[in-house]
Amino acid sequence: MTTTDTRAAGVADTQAGPPRAARPGRPRARLARARSGLHTLVFLAPMLVVFGAFSWLPIGRAVVMSFQRTNLVTDPVFVGFANFQQVFADPQLWTAVQNTGYFALLALVFGYPVPLVAAILMSEVRKARGLFSALAYLPVVVPPVVAVLLWKLFYDAGEDGVFNTVLSWFGIGPVAWLQDAQIVMPSLVLEATWAAAGGTVIIYLAALVGVDPSLYEAAEIDGAGVWRKLWHITLPQLRGVLLITFILQIIGTAQVFLEPFLFTDGGPANRTLTLLLLIYRYAFTNSLGGDYGAAAALSLMLAVLLAGFSMLYFRLTRKWSS
């Protein structure tokens, strides 16, 4: 009985020993984690300061300006929601909303599928795939202003314009690409798609590399054609990437500015006036100082609208994306 008690006591001491020995090490582990976190914070501090100074600080300043009457010359005056009321009462606002929506719709219908189709065709090429990838990405390398000036030559309404010269080969008369109110917006969408599609093509090509080749081999054995493989294998495998590029497409087209500004300056007859171009007019059309309060108010409204749309979009597509 004594031997049993001694063994039981020894086992109990053995079991109770490790926790007592580990207790002094816990503060050291906590201190090591605290030091590691402090070192990380020290390395991140310069980036956080720069990001806050050049990103969050201007955003906060814009929110404050949206409630002020200011031209950055005279002292600002707090006016509450008067800037928002002024923007809503401006008849050009609804023109800009319609034009921006029209541009986004055209870019979605014609510009969104183009990079996907190009990436799928390039993924099927066995030779010179790198050359085709470089050619597809080349427009992204061209500075945007240079690209617009180049396409202005293409869109020249005279008979010597590049596109009109090509049309003359088929007996079609010269077209006023940027002066005709009916085709000016599709013309801008064509240039914008050419300029931005290359980056999306590279994203799709990288995603296609991750698709398991055995899926295509099994589909070929079952007699599936190109379209069935595209619909049942390629698109489902890329749905996560497609969802991201779709929301980026919407956000990018809602903030279109460069093409309407450099091509037409909102014309003809405000047919290419977009929301960002209207913000620009609020802020910079007056040489003595624009209405920065109204510009900030419209900017804030656009930001809130896009943020709300993005949250709703990701919420609705959460199950489908997973």
Side-chain angles (χ1 to χ4, degrees), residues 29-66:
R30 293 174 182 174
L31 181 60
R33 288 195 297 268
R35 289 178 177 177
S36 177
L38 181 61
H39 293 163
T40 303
L41 183 60
V42 170
F43 280 106
L44 288 177
M47 184 189 69
L48 294 176
V49 171
V50 172
F51 186 76
F54 293 98
S55 181
W56 289 109
L57 184 61
I59 293 175
R61 178 61 179 144
V63 173
V64 174
M65 287 175 58
S66 65

PDB file of all heavy atoms in Angstrom, residues 29-66:
ATOM      1  N   ALA A  29       7.852  34.832 -23.352  1.00  0.00           N
ATOM      2  CA  ALA A  29       7.223  34.679 -24.666  1.00  0.00           C
ATOM      3  C   ALA A  29       6.388  35.904 -25.014  1.00  0.00           C
ATOM      4  O   ALA A  29       6.413  36.392 -26.146  1.00  0.00           O
ATOM      5  CB  ALA A  29       6.351  33.415 -24.683  1.00  0.00           C
ATOM      6  N   ARG A  30       5.666  36.419 -24.021  1.00  0.00           N
ATOM      7  CA  ARG A  30       4.871  37.623 -24.266  1.00  0.00           C
ATOM      8  C   ARG A  30       5.766  38.807 -24.611  1.00  0.00           C
ATOM      9  O   ARG A  30       5.453  39.605 -25.501  1.00  0.00           O
ATOM     10  CB  ARG A  30       4.022  37.939 -23.039  1.00  0.00           C
ATOM     11  CG  ARG A  30       2.945  36.902 -22.759  1.00  0.00           C
ATOM     12  CD  ARG A  30       2.236  37.208 -21.462  1.00  0.00           C
ATOM     13  NE  ARG A  30       1.222  36.187 -21.160  1.00  0.00           N
ATOM     14  CZ  ARG A  30       0.529  36.159 -20.020  1.00  0.00           C
ATOM     15  NH1 ARG A  30       0.740  37.088 -19.084  1.00  0.00           N
ATOM     16  NH2 ARG A  30      -0.362  35.211 -19.825  1.00  0.00           N
ATOM     17  N   LEU A  31       6.889  38.917 -23.889  1.00  0.00           N
ATOM     18  CA  LEU A  31       7.813  40.011 -24.165  1.00  0.00           C
ATOM     19  C   LEU A  31       8.414  39.884 -25.560  1.00  0.00           C
ATOM     20  O   LEU A  31       8.577  40.886 -26.272  1.00  0.00           O
ATOM     21  CB  LEU A  31       8.926  40.021 -23.100  1.00  0.00           C
ATOM     22  CG  LEU A  31       9.973  41.134 -23.221  1.00  0.00           C
ATOM     23  CD1 LEU A  31       9.297  42.499 -23.115  1.00  0.00           C
ATOM     24  CD2 LEU A  31      11.051  40.965 -22.155  1.00  0.00           C
ATOM     25  N   ALA A  32       8.717  38.638 -25.988  1.00  0.00           N
ATOM     26  CA  ALA A  32       9.262  38.433 -27.332  1.00  0.00           C
ATOM     27  C   ALA A  32       8.248  38.813 -28.403  1.00  0.00           C
ATOM     28  O   ALA A  32       8.600  39.448 -29.402  1.00  0.00           O
ATOM     29  CB  ALA A  32       9.697  36.970 -27.495  1.00  0.00           C
ATOM     30  N   ARG A  33       6.961  38.442 -28.169  1.00  0.00           N
ATOM     31  CA  ARG A  33       5.929  38.815 -29.134  1.00  0.00           C
ATOM     32  C   ARG A  33       5.734  40.324 -29.182  1.00  0.00           C
ATOM     33  O   ARG A  33       5.521  40.904 -30.247  1.00  0.00           O
ATOM     34  CB  ARG A  33       4.615  38.113 -28.787  1.00  0.00           C
ATOM     35  CG  ARG A  33       4.603  36.615 -29.081  1.00  0.00           C
ATOM     36  CD  ARG A  33       3.192  36.072 -29.070  1.00  0.00           C
ATOM     37  NE  ARG A  33       2.580  36.203 -27.746  1.00  0.00           N
ATOM     38  CZ  ARG A  33       2.619  35.262 -26.806  1.00  0.00           C
ATOM     39  NH1 ARG A  33       3.251  34.105 -27.048  1.00  0.00           N
ATOM     40  NH2 ARG A  33       2.039  35.451 -25.641  1.00  0.00           N
ATOM     41  N   ALA A  34       5.798  40.964 -28.017  1.00  0.00           N
ATOM     42  CA  ALA A  34       5.659  42.422 -27.983  1.00  0.00           C
ATOM     43  C   ALA A  34       6.803  43.099 -28.724  1.00  0.00           C
ATOM     44  O   ALA A  34       6.595  44.064 -29.470  1.00  0.00           O
ATOM     45  CB  ALA A  34       5.596  42.903 -26.537  1.00  0.00           C
ATOM     46  N   ARG A  35       8.032  42.594 -28.525  1.00  0.00           N
ATOM     47  CA  ARG A  35       9.171  43.165 -29.248  1.00  0.00           C
ATOM     48  C   ARG A  35       9.041  42.953 -30.749  1.00  0.00           C
ATOM     49  O   ARG A  35       9.360  43.848 -31.540  1.00  0.00           O
ATOM     50  CB  ARG A  35      10.467  42.534 -28.736  1.00  0.00           C
ATOM     51  CG  ARG A  35      10.850  42.973 -27.317  1.00  0.00           C
ATOM     52  CD  ARG A  35      12.118  42.279 -26.867  1.00  0.00           C
ATOM     53  NE  ARG A  35      12.525  42.738 -25.537  1.00  0.00           N
ATOM     54  CZ  ARG A  35      13.575  42.237 -24.878  1.00  0.00           C
ATOM     55  NH1 ARG A  35      14.318  41.263 -25.423  1.00  0.00           N
ATOM     56  NH2 ARG A  35      13.879  42.714 -23.674  1.00  0.00           N
ATOM     57  N   SER A  36       8.565  41.767 -31.144  1.00  0.00           N
ATOM     58  CA  SER A  36       8.383  41.501 -32.576  1.00  0.00           C
ATOM     59  C   SER A  36       7.347  42.442 -33.177  1.00  0.00           C
ATOM     60  O   SER A  36       7.533  42.992 -34.263  1.00  0.00           O
ATOM     61  CB  SER A  36       7.963  40.046 -32.781  1.00  0.00           C
ATOM     62  OG  SER A  36       7.706  39.785 -34.136  1.00  0.00           O
ATOM     63  N   GLY A  37       6.228  42.641 -32.454  1.00  0.00           N
ATOM     64  CA  GLY A  37       5.223  43.571 -32.946  1.00  0.00           C
ATOM     65  C   GLY A  37       5.727  44.992 -33.001  1.00  0.00           C
ATOM     66  O   GLY A  37       5.400  45.745 -33.928  1.00  0.00           O
ATOM     67  N   LEU A  38       6.563  45.377 -32.028  1.00  0.00           N
ATOM     68  CA  LEU A  38       7.129  46.724 -32.027  1.00  0.00           C
ATOM     69  C   LEU A  38       8.079  46.919 -33.200  1.00  0.00           C
ATOM     70  O   LEU A  38       8.057  47.974 -33.856  1.00  0.00           O
ATOM     71  CB  LEU A  38       7.864  46.975 -30.702  1.00  0.00           C
ATOM     72  CG  LEU A  38       8.492  48.368 -30.530  1.00  0.00           C
ATOM     73  CD1 LEU A  38       7.411  49.436 -30.591  1.00  0.00           C
ATOM     74  CD2 LEU A  38       9.256  48.453 -29.217  1.00  0.00           C
ATOM     75  N   HIS A  39       8.893  45.906 -33.490  1.00  0.00           N
ATOM     76  CA  HIS A  39       9.793  45.999 -34.647  1.00  0.00           C
ATOM     77  C   HIS A  39       9.004  46.126 -35.944  1.00  0.00           C
ATOM     78  O   HIS A  39       9.361  46.920 -36.833  1.00  0.00           O
ATOM     79  CB  HIS A  39      10.693  44.766 -34.695  1.00  0.00           C
ATOM     80  CG  HIS A  39      11.656  44.697 -33.556  1.00  0.00           C
ATOM     81  ND1 HIS A  39      12.316  43.532 -33.209  1.00  0.00           N
ATOM     82  CD2 HIS A  39      12.074  45.642 -32.681  1.00  0.00           C
ATOM     83  CE1 HIS A  39      13.102  43.759 -32.183  1.00  0.00           C
ATOM     84  NE2 HIS A  39      12.967  45.046 -31.838  1.00  0.00           N
ATOM     85  N   THR A  40       7.907  45.352 -36.066  1.00  0.00           N
ATOM     86  CA  THR A  40       7.065  45.453 -37.263  1.00  0.00           C
ATOM     87  C   THR A  40       6.461  46.845 -37.399  1.00  0.00           C
ATOM     88  O   THR A  40       6.419  47.421 -38.490  1.00  0.00           O
ATOM     89  CB  THR A  40       5.944  44.406 -37.204  1.00  0.00           C
ATOM     90  OG1 THR A  40       6.515  43.098 -37.063  1.00  0.00           O
ATOM     91  CG2 THR A  40       5.090  44.455 -38.465  1.00  0.00           C
ATOM     92  N   LEU A  41       6.008  47.392 -36.273  1.00  0.00           N
ATOM     93  CA  LEU A  41       5.422  48.730 -36.299  1.00  0.00           C
ATOM     94  C   LEU A  41       6.448  49.785 -36.694  1.00  0.00           C
ATOM     95  O   LEU A  41       6.122  50.730 -37.426  1.00  0.00           O
ATOM     96  CB  LEU A  41       4.828  49.058 -34.929  1.00  0.00           C
ATOM     97  CG  LEU A  41       4.107  50.410 -34.807  1.00  0.00           C
ATOM     98  CD1 LEU A  41       2.936  50.465 -35.777  1.00  0.00           C
ATOM     99  CD2 LEU A  41       3.634  50.630 -33.380  1.00  0.00           C
ATOM    100  N   VAL A  42       7.685  49.619 -36.223  1.00  0.00           N
ATOM    101  CA  VAL A  42       8.741  50.577 -36.571  1.00  0.00           C
ATOM    102  C   VAL A  42       9.014  50.547 -38.074  1.00  0.00           C
ATOM    103  O   VAL A  42       9.185  51.602 -38.715  1.00  0.00           O
ATOM    104  CB  VAL A  42      10.026  50.266 -35.778  1.00  0.00           C
ATOM    105  CG1 VAL A  42      11.205  51.076 -36.304  1.00  0.00           C
ATOM    106  CG2 VAL A  42       9.813  50.569 -34.305  1.00  0.00           C
ATOM    107  N   PHE A  43       9.048  49.355 -38.656  1.00  0.00           N
ATOM    108  CA  PHE A  43       9.281  49.260 -40.094  1.00  0.00           C
ATOM    109  C   PHE A  43       8.085  49.787 -40.901  1.00  0.00           C
ATOM    110  O   PHE A  43       8.255  50.336 -41.993  1.00  0.00           O
ATOM    111  CB  PHE A  43       9.564  47.804 -40.487  1.00  0.00           C
ATOM    112  CG  PHE A  43      10.973  47.364 -40.207  1.00  0.00           C
ATOM    113  CD1 PHE A  43      11.259  46.523 -39.149  1.00  0.00           C
ATOM    114  CD2 PHE A  43      12.026  47.818 -40.994  1.00  0.00           C
ATOM    115  CE1 PHE A  43      12.551  46.126 -38.879  1.00  0.00           C
ATOM    116  CE2 PHE A  43      13.333  47.428 -40.739  1.00  0.00           C
ATOM    117  CZ  PHE A  43      13.599  46.579 -39.675  1.00  0.00           C
ATOM    118  N   LEU A  44       6.870  49.617 -40.369  1.00  0.00           N
ATOM    119  CA  LEU A  44       5.682  50.069 -41.081  1.00  0.00           C
ATOM    120  C   LEU A  44       5.410  51.551 -40.900  1.00  0.00           C
ATOM    121  O   LEU A  44       4.659  52.139 -41.687  1.00  0.00           O
ATOM    122  CB  LEU A  44       4.446  49.283 -40.618  1.00  0.00           C
ATOM    123  CG  LEU A  44       4.339  47.832 -41.060  1.00  0.00           C
ATOM    124  CD1 LEU A  44       3.106  47.191 -40.443  1.00  0.00           C
ATOM    125  CD2 LEU A  44       4.261  47.730 -42.580  1.00  0.00           C
ATOM    126  N   ALA A  45       5.989  52.152 -39.863  1.00  0.00           N
ATOM    127  CA  ALA A  45       5.678  53.538 -39.533  1.00  0.00           C
ATOM    128  C   ALA A  45       5.899  54.499 -40.699  1.00  0.00           C
ATOM    129  O   ALA A  45       5.024  55.325 -40.992  1.00  0.00           O
ATOM    130  CB  ALA A  45       6.468  53.975 -38.304  1.00  0.00           C
ATOM    131  N   PRO A  46       7.046  54.460 -41.404  1.00  0.00           N
ATOM    132  CA  PRO A  46       7.214  55.400 -42.534  1.00  0.00           C
ATOM    133  C   PRO A  46       6.144  55.237 -43.608  1.00  0.00           C
ATOM    134  O   PRO A  46       5.615  56.223 -44.115  1.00  0.00           O
ATOM    135  CB  PRO A  46       8.612  55.056 -43.077  1.00  0.00           C
ATOM    136  CG  PRO A  46       9.311  54.410 -41.931  1.00  0.00           C
ATOM    137  CD  PRO A  46       8.261  53.663 -41.186  1.00  0.00           C
ATOM    138  N   MET A  47       5.803  53.984 -43.932  1.00  0.00           N
ATOM    139  CA  MET A  47       4.777  53.757 -44.946  1.00  0.00           C
ATOM    140  C   MET A  47       3.420  54.250 -44.470  1.00  0.00           C
ATOM    141  O   MET A  47       2.652  54.860 -45.242  1.00  0.00           O
ATOM    142  CB  MET A  47       4.700  52.270 -45.288  1.00  0.00           C
ATOM    143  CG  MET A  47       3.720  51.951 -46.415  1.00  0.00           C
ATOM    144  SD  MET A  47       3.457  50.182 -46.634  1.00  0.00           S
ATOM    145  CE  MET A  47       2.568  49.797 -45.130  1.00  0.00           C
ATOM    146  N   LEU A  48       3.099  54.020 -43.190  1.00  0.00           N
ATOM    147  CA  LEU A  48       1.822  54.474 -42.657  1.00  0.00           C
ATOM    148  C   LEU A  48       1.742  55.994 -42.653  1.00  0.00           C
ATOM    149  O   LEU A  48       0.681  56.563 -42.946  1.00  0.00           O
ATOM    150  CB  LEU A  48       1.625  53.924 -41.235  1.00  0.00           C
ATOM    151  CG  LEU A  48       1.471  52.402 -41.115  1.00  0.00           C
ATOM    152  CD1 LEU A  48       1.372  51.995 -39.647  1.00  0.00           C
ATOM    153  CD2 LEU A  48       0.240  51.922 -41.869  1.00  0.00           C
ATOM    154  N   VAL A  49       2.851  56.650 -42.324  1.00  0.00           N
ATOM    155  CA  VAL A  49       2.862  58.114 -42.314  1.00  0.00           C
ATOM    156  C   VAL A  49       2.657  58.657 -43.721  1.00  0.00           C
ATOM    157  O   VAL A  49       1.856  59.574 -43.952  1.00  0.00           O
ATOM    158  CB  VAL A  49       4.176  58.638 -41.709  1.00  0.00           C
ATOM    159  CG1 VAL A  49       4.295  60.148 -41.903  1.00  0.00           C
ATOM    160  CG2 VAL A  49       4.254  58.294 -40.225  1.00  0.00           C
ATOM    161  N   VAL A  50       3.382  58.087 -44.694  1.00  0.00           N
ATOM    162  CA  VAL A  50       3.242  58.541 -46.081  1.00  0.00           C
ATOM    163  C   VAL A  50       1.836  58.256 -46.604  1.00  0.00           C
ATOM    164  O   VAL A  50       1.209  59.112 -47.251  1.00  0.00           O
ATOM    165  CB  VAL A  50       4.312  57.870 -46.970  1.00  0.00           C
ATOM    166  CG1 VAL A  50       4.062  58.176 -48.435  1.00  0.00           C
ATOM    167  CG2 VAL A  50       5.698  58.332 -46.561  1.00  0.00           C
ATOM    168  N   PHE A  51       1.332  57.060 -46.315  1.00  0.00           N
ATOM    169  CA  PHE A  51      -0.006  56.701 -46.781  1.00  0.00           C
ATOM    170  C   PHE A  51      -1.065  57.606 -46.157  1.00  0.00           C
ATOM    171  O   PHE A  51      -2.000  58.052 -46.831  1.00  0.00           O
ATOM    172  CB  PHE A  51      -0.299  55.239 -46.442  1.00  0.00           C
ATOM    173  CG  PHE A  51      -1.594  54.728 -46.997  1.00  0.00           C
ATOM    174  CD1 PHE A  51      -1.716  54.402 -48.333  1.00  0.00           C
ATOM    175  CD2 PHE A  51      -2.709  54.587 -46.181  1.00  0.00           C
ATOM    176  CE1 PHE A  51      -2.914  53.934 -48.849  1.00  0.00           C
ATOM    177  CE2 PHE A  51      -3.910  54.126 -46.688  1.00  0.00           C
ATOM    178  CZ  PHE A  51      -4.013  53.798 -48.020  1.00  0.00           C
ATOM    179  N   GLY A  52      -0.917  57.886 -44.864  1.00  0.00           N
ATOM    180  CA  GLY A  52      -1.876  58.763 -44.214  1.00  0.00           C
ATOM    181  C   GLY A  52      -1.805  60.188 -44.719  1.00  0.00           C
ATOM    182  O   GLY A  52      -2.829  60.842 -44.918  1.00  0.00           O
ATOM    183  N   ALA A  53      -0.575  60.685 -44.970  1.00  0.00           N
ATOM    184  CA  ALA A  53      -0.409  62.075 -45.400  1.00  0.00           C
ATOM    185  C   ALA A  53      -0.903  62.294 -46.819  1.00  0.00           C
ATOM    186  O   ALA A  53      -1.462  63.355 -47.122  1.00  0.00           O
ATOM    187  CB  ALA A  53       1.062  62.475 -45.281  1.00  0.00           C
ATOM    188  N   PHE A  54      -0.707  61.307 -47.689  1.00  0.00           N
ATOM    189  CA  PHE A  54      -1.046  61.497 -49.092  1.00  0.00           C
ATOM    190  C   PHE A  54      -2.326  60.784 -49.514  1.00  0.00           C
ATOM    191  O   PHE A  54      -2.732  60.912 -50.675  1.00  0.00           O
ATOM    192  CB  PHE A  54       0.106  61.018 -49.984  1.00  0.00           C
ATOM    193  CG  PHE A  54       1.336  61.859 -49.860  1.00  0.00           C
ATOM    194  CD1 PHE A  54       2.377  61.474 -49.034  1.00  0.00           C
ATOM    195  CD2 PHE A  54       1.453  63.055 -50.557  1.00  0.00           C
ATOM    196  CE1 PHE A  54       3.513  62.252 -48.904  1.00  0.00           C
ATOM    197  CE2 PHE A  54       2.589  63.837 -50.441  1.00  0.00           C
ATOM    198  CZ  PHE A  54       3.625  63.443 -49.609  1.00  0.00           C
ATOM    199  N   SER A  55      -2.962  60.049 -48.619  1.00  0.00           N
ATOM    200  CA  SER A  55      -4.200  59.350 -48.978  1.00  0.00           C
ATOM    201  C   SER A  55      -5.338  59.726 -48.035  1.00  0.00           C
ATOM    202  O   SER A  55      -6.320  60.344 -48.449  1.00  0.00           O
ATOM    203  CB  SER A  55      -3.979  57.830 -48.964  1.00  0.00           C
ATOM    204  OG  SER A  55      -5.157  57.158 -49.335  1.00  0.00           O
ATOM    205  N   TRP A  56      -5.223  59.360 -46.765  1.00  0.00           N
ATOM    206  CA  TRP A  56      -6.322  59.579 -45.838  1.00  0.00           C
ATOM    207  C   TRP A  56      -6.498  61.049 -45.473  1.00  0.00           C
ATOM    208  O   TRP A  56      -7.638  61.503 -45.289  1.00  0.00           O
ATOM    209  CB  TRP A  56      -6.123  58.746 -44.575  1.00  0.00           C
ATOM    210  CG  TRP A  56      -6.334  57.294 -44.828  1.00  0.00           C
ATOM    211  CD1 TRP A  56      -5.382  56.315 -44.862  1.00  0.00           C
ATOM    212  CD2 TRP A  56      -7.580  56.647 -45.118  1.00  0.00           C
ATOM    213  NE1 TRP A  56      -5.956  55.105 -45.149  1.00  0.00           N
ATOM    214  CE2 TRP A  56      -7.300  55.273 -45.306  1.00  0.00           C
ATOM    215  CE3 TRP A  56      -8.895  57.094 -45.229  1.00  0.00           C
ATOM    216  CZ2 TRP A  56      -8.298  54.352 -45.605  1.00  0.00           C
ATOM    217  CZ3 TRP A  56      -9.886  56.179 -45.524  1.00  0.00           C
ATOM    218  CH2 TRP A  56      -9.586  54.816 -45.705  1.00  0.00           C
ATOM    219  N   LEU A  57      -5.414  61.787 -45.372  1.00  0.00           N
ATOM    220  CA  LEU A  57      -5.535  63.208 -45.055  1.00  0.00           C
ATOM    221  C   LEU A  57      -6.279  63.983 -46.147  1.00  0.00           C
ATOM    222  O   LEU A  57      -7.188  64.776 -45.839  1.00  0.00           O
ATOM    223  CB  LEU A  57      -4.149  63.809 -44.796  1.00  0.00           C
ATOM    224  CG  LEU A  57      -4.127  65.275 -44.347  1.00  0.00           C
ATOM    225  CD1 LEU A  57      -4.887  65.418 -43.032  1.00  0.00           C
ATOM    226  CD2 LEU A  57      -2.692  65.763 -44.181  1.00  0.00           C
ATOM    227  N   PRO A  58      -5.945  63.785 -47.450  1.00  0.00           N
ATOM    228  CA  PRO A  58      -6.748  64.450 -48.485  1.00  0.00           C
ATOM    229  C   PRO A  58      -8.210  64.017 -48.490  1.00  0.00           C
ATOM    230  O   PRO A  58      -9.098  64.834 -48.766  1.00  0.00           O
ATOM    231  CB  PRO A  58      -6.044  64.048 -49.787  1.00  0.00           C
ATOM    232  CG  PRO A  58      -4.645  63.748 -49.384  1.00  0.00           C
ATOM    233  CD  PRO A  58      -4.762  63.129 -48.027  1.00  0.00           C
ATOM    234  N   ILE A  59      -8.462  62.732 -48.196  1.00  0.00           N
ATOM    235  CA  ILE A  59      -9.850  62.274 -48.139  1.00  0.00           C
ATOM    236  C   ILE A  59     -10.604  62.992 -47.025  1.00  0.00           C
ATOM    237  O   ILE A  59     -11.731  63.477 -47.208  1.00  0.00           O
ATOM    238  CB  ILE A  59      -9.908  60.750 -47.957  1.00  0.00           C
ATOM    239  CG1 ILE A  59      -9.367  60.043 -49.204  1.00  0.00           C
ATOM    240  CG2 ILE A  59     -11.331  60.288 -47.662  1.00  0.00           C
ATOM    241  CD1 ILE A  59      -9.275  58.533 -49.063  1.00  0.00           C
ATOM    242  N   GLY A  60      -9.981  63.068 -45.851  1.00  0.00           N
ATOM    243  CA  GLY A  60     -10.611  63.786 -44.750  1.00  0.00           C
ATOM    244  C   GLY A  60     -10.812  65.262 -45.064  1.00  0.00           C
ATOM    245  O   GLY A  60     -11.850  65.847 -44.732  1.00  0.00           O
ATOM    246  N   ARG A  61      -9.820  65.867 -45.729  1.00  0.00           N
ATOM    247  CA  ARG A  61      -9.949  67.274 -46.116  1.00  0.00           C
ATOM    248  C   ARG A  61     -11.089  67.470 -47.117  1.00  0.00           C
ATOM    249  O   ARG A  61     -11.826  68.465 -47.043  1.00  0.00           O
ATOM    250  CB  ARG A  61      -8.628  67.743 -46.716  1.00  0.00           C
ATOM    251  CG  ARG A  61      -8.621  69.181 -47.204  1.00  0.00           C
ATOM    252  CD  ARG A  61      -8.889  70.152 -46.098  1.00  0.00           C
ATOM    253  NE  ARG A  61      -8.868  71.530 -46.574  1.00  0.00           N
ATOM    254  CZ  ARG A  61      -9.655  72.473 -46.116  1.00  0.00           C
ATOM    255  NH1 ARG A  61     -10.542  72.200 -45.171  1.00  0.00           N
ATOM    256  NH2 ARG A  61      -9.568  73.707 -46.583  1.00  0.00           N
ATOM    257  N   ALA A  62     -11.249  66.532 -48.033  1.00  0.00           N
ATOM    258  CA  ALA A  62     -12.342  66.631 -49.006  1.00  0.00           C
ATOM    259  C   ALA A  62     -13.702  66.513 -48.324  1.00  0.00           C
ATOM    260  O   ALA A  62     -14.656  67.206 -48.707  1.00  0.00           O
ATOM    261  CB  ALA A  62     -12.186  65.548 -50.070  1.00  0.00           C
ATOM    262  N   VAL A  63     -13.811  65.652 -47.315  1.00  0.00           N
ATOM    263  CA  VAL A  63     -15.073  65.529 -46.577  1.00  0.00           C
ATOM    264  C   VAL A  63     -15.411  66.847 -45.883  1.00  0.00           C
ATOM    265  O   VAL A  63     -16.561  67.306 -45.907  1.00  0.00           O
ATOM    266  CB  VAL A  63     -14.986  64.373 -45.564  1.00  0.00           C
ATOM    267  CG1 VAL A  63     -16.226  64.352 -44.674  1.00  0.00           C
ATOM    268  CG2 VAL A  63     -14.830  63.043 -46.288  1.00  0.00           C
ATOM    269  N   VAL A  64     -14.418  67.479 -45.279  1.00  0.00           N
ATOM    270  CA  VAL A  64     -14.651  68.768 -44.614  1.00  0.00           C
ATOM    271  C   VAL A  64     -15.044  69.832 -45.637  1.00  0.00           C
ATOM    272  O   VAL A  64     -15.972  70.624 -45.416  1.00  0.00           O
ATOM    273  CB  VAL A  64     -13.395  69.191 -43.832  1.00  0.00           C
ATOM    274  CG1 VAL A  64     -13.569  70.600 -43.264  1.00  0.00           C
ATOM    275  CG2 VAL A  64     -13.106  68.208 -42.709  1.00  0.00           C
ATOM    276  N   MET A  65     -14.349  69.862 -46.783  1.00  0.00           N
ATOM    277  CA  MET A  65     -14.636  70.869 -47.815  1.00  0.00           C
ATOM    278  C   MET A  65     -16.032  70.717 -48.395  1.00  0.00           C
ATOM    279  O   MET A  65     -16.615  71.696 -48.871  1.00  0.00           O
ATOM    280  CB  MET A  65     -13.600  70.775 -48.937  1.00  0.00           C
ATOM    281  CG  MET A  65     -12.227  71.293 -48.567  1.00  0.00           C
ATOM    282  SD  MET A  65     -11.019  71.015 -49.883  1.00  0.00           S
ATOM    283  CE  MET A  65     -11.795  71.886 -51.238  1.00  0.00           C
ATOM    284  N   SER A  66     -16.579  69.491 -48.382  1.00  0.00           N
ATOM    285  CA  SER A  66     -17.909  69.294 -48.945  1.00  0.00           C
ATOM    286  C   SER A  66     -18.988  70.029 -48.153  1.00  0.00           C
ATOM    287  O   SER A  66     -20.093  70.232 -48.657  1.00  0.00           O
ATOM    288  CB  SER A  66     -18.237  67.802 -49.013  1.00  0.00           C
ATOM    289  OG  SER A  66     -18.320  67.239 -47.713  1.00  0.00           O
TER     290      SER A  66
END
